[in-house]
Amino acid sequence: MLRVKMVKLMLILLIGMALPELVTAQQQVTLKDALTYALQNNARVRKAKLDIEGGRYKVQEVRAQALPQLTGTAGLTYNPIIGQLVADFGGQAQAIKLGQNWNSNAGVQLSQQLFNQQVFTGLQAARSSEEYYNLTSQLTEEQIIELVANNYYQVLVNRQQLNVLDTNIKNVKTVEKVISNQFKNGLARKIDVDRISVNLTNLNTQREQVVNAIVQLENQLKFSMGMPVSTPIQLPVTELTQVTQLPVFTDSVDLANRTEVKLLNTQDKLLSLQRKAYLAEYYPSLALTGNYTYSSQSDGFDFLSSNAAAIGYGASAIGLTLRVPIFNGFLTRSKVRQANVEILKAKEDRKESVNSLNLAYENAKIQLRNNLNTINSQRKNVELAQEIYKSTQNNYNNGLASLTDLLDTENSLTSSQNSYTQALLNYKIAEIQLIKSNGNIKSLVQ
């Protein structure tokens, strides 16, 4: 008995430990939860943040060109045959050896740019590149928010369509039961039983298709979130609520807050700096140079006077190096002209982008108005279809309506309910576009 009680106690403890995990697995995921998770785990978002980090290293790389450059050198040379110099000493030619069999040296060289317009322009471009990567990361986050939100509402709509099918299947099963009883009592025909059975089979087939579609849409949602596809999630149905009125519209949208426009501004700055860097090739450059070298020579193996017979000596120099470009075959001119073309293309891109952003805003307003009208009309259609179905069902039970009339009204009710749900989805998608057009897409996460 004691062992049995201990086993029961262990089972209770194990179940108690497993309950938190089960609760977590069944926890509902709101839209805010999905967006927050996506901003932390989506691969595109994480790569964009890595680009920011890489941009900082790029700035350091360019900055290094403006810092002192220090280089150490060392060498060891063996000369099997030593060259000679022939000279005239007092009318007599004599040959003098130049060096020893073993030569070694070690030294250090210093170079510091004093003026180099290309390097200075590169520093400015590197800082702008860092800003560019920041804006690109922000734009990626906004695109992921839009993608996840659209996928999220797609799942909700299909779940509501599943609820509609479940309700209709329940109603048809009730009718099927009535007809089966009538057929047993000789009050209904066999064809009526077959027709209602066919209708029920079709509804079950539709339900299976919707269930499969929900699984696919949930997998797509989890993929866009950066979540493992095998992770179970549950979405609350309250997220897709009824719509009663339109948001406040403005005559025009302020594009200054749009990340796309900020990105265009940074691109223009980078193109301008690129042109400036090409022009800098016409500028002279000035650098400070310095070096120190210690050398050693010996007729035997030696490295830096390690041999007692070796001769060692040091040498150093400090100087300025001025580089003045004179002619490079019009290479720089061609680069500058190419940069001018890119700047002109960027201006055309800006016009098209601004026009596209304004178009998206105007279309979002039109779609919201149309979708709200559709929602209101479809809501009335659903209410009317429900009344007609109840009335037809009552008439059918009393023998005042045919089975065909009942099935037609049931199909009309299903169609109106699905149209209403689809209208809600279209409104939500248009609403996301409007929020995005105002530059407030991240408000969905708050």
Side-chain angles (χ1 to χ4, degrees), residues 95-113:
I96 303 174
K97 283 186 176 182
L98 297 177
Q100 298 288 327
N101 295 97
W102 290 92
N103 295 334
S104 61
N105 62 79
V108 61
Q109 297 177 349
L110 171 68
S111 176
Q112 171 63 57
Q113 294 288 343

Side-chain angles (χ1 to χ4, degrees), residues 33 40 70 74 77 99 117 125 149 160 171 209 244-245 260 262 268 333 335 372 415 434 438:
D33 295 335
Q40 296 173 354
L70 193 61
T77 305
Q117 189 61 40
Q160 289 198 10
N171 293 335
Q209 292 174 349
T244 56
Q245 62 181 9
E260 293 90 338
K262 295 178 181 178
D268 290 345
R333 186 184 68 176
K335 290 181 179 180
L372 182 59
S415 177
L434 182 71
N438 289 325

Side-chain angles (χ1 to χ4, degrees), residues 30 41 56 84 131 227 286:
T30 64
N41 297 277
R56 288 197 294 266
Q84 297 183 1
E131 179 184 357
M227 176 182 289
L286 181 64

